[in-house]
Amino acid sequence: MTVEINSAGIWDSEAIADVAAATFPLACPPGATQDDIATFIDDVLSAERFSEYLTDPRRTVLKVTHEGAIVGYAMLIDGEPADPEVARSVSLRPVTEISKLYVLPGNHGTGVASALMNAIVERAVAGDCAGLWLGVNQENLRAQRFYEKHGFETVGTKTFLVGSQLHHDFVMRRAL
């Protein structure tokens, strides 16, 4: 599958929000309620929020397009982790967080996610970043295997609020 990976622009906010709404529920643990997932999507993954993210100088949103349609995206956040526990677990500096990395289900297993991860690594290396980190739900074994395949290791834990439910994530890190 041939894809293009580029920085998203504010004009992509709505299309990326649509991809986010379709993909985020797939990464949630089985105990997450539909109401909590919907609240999170409305509060964090709306077109309005992506417009904000796309104008934040610390954030980069990469979009993956296939035949003109956005089929995946990643959001990167440069800088010190806000959570002190994560900051201790992720000892590399400077560091970039992979806040979000999602691909539409019809594109799983096609190499799209690997191409997106490779683009993230290239960007981080070009920016003299020492490492990457991310949080992944402890029950999302498929995602954990993907990240391990791409050189990430588990270095800690953190919590993640979805609606009214607190979930538990592994913190994974990759040195560059």
Side-chain angles (χ1 to χ4, degrees):
M1 174 181 263
T2 304
V3 297
E4 289 185 31
I5 301 171
N6 298 298
S7 292
I10 199 153
W11 53 88
D12 295 311
S13 297
E14 192 169 314
I16 292 173
D18 289 345
V19 172
T23 56
F24 179 74
L26 304 173
C28 290
T33 69
Q34 293 302 315
D35 286 345
D36 283 333
I37 292 170
T39 297
F40 185 87
I41 290 169
D42 289 345
D43 292 348
V44 179
L45 302 175
S46 67
E48 294 78 19
R49 289 304 305 267
F50 275 102
S51 292
E52 293 172 19
Y53 302 145
L54 287 162
T55 58
D56 180 342
R58 291 186 53 227
R59 296 178 193 253
T60 300
V61 178
L62 298 176
K63 64 180 177 179
V64 182
T65 55
H66 174 65
E67 297 180 354
I70 296 176
V71 297
Y73 76 99
M75 182 163 37
L76 313 174
I77 305 173
D78 294 325
E80 186 73 17
D83 181 327
E85 287 295 317
V86 172
R88 281 190 285 283
S89 297
V90 180
S91 56
L92 305 166
R93 299 293 184 274
V95 68
T96 294
E97 176 187 6
I98 302 173
S99 171
K100 297 164 185 25
L101 191 161
Y102 294 103
V103 173
L104 287 172
N107 297 276
H108 292 172
T110 65
V112 171
S114 289
L116 183 53
M117 180 61 77
N118 292 339
I120 291 167
V121 170
E122 287 175 19
R123 177 198 173 274
V125 168
D128 293 324
C129 191
L132 296 165
W133 76 274
L134 56 88
V136 60
N137 188 275
Q138 292 179 8
E139 295 182 51
N140 192 339
L141 300 178
R142 180 179 181 164
Q144 291 170 43
R145 284 191 302 270
F146 172 81
Y147 296 129
E148 288 169 356
K149 179 178 139 185
H150 288 277
F152 286 81
E153 62 181 337
T154 301
V155 295
T157 60
K158 71 180 198 84
T159 56
F160 185 76
L161 188 63
V162 176
S164 63
Q165 290 185 316
L166 198 59
H167 297 280
H168 301 283
D169 286 1
F170 287 124
V171 174
M172 299 184 81
R173 172 191 75 190
R174 176 182 170 173
L176 299 174

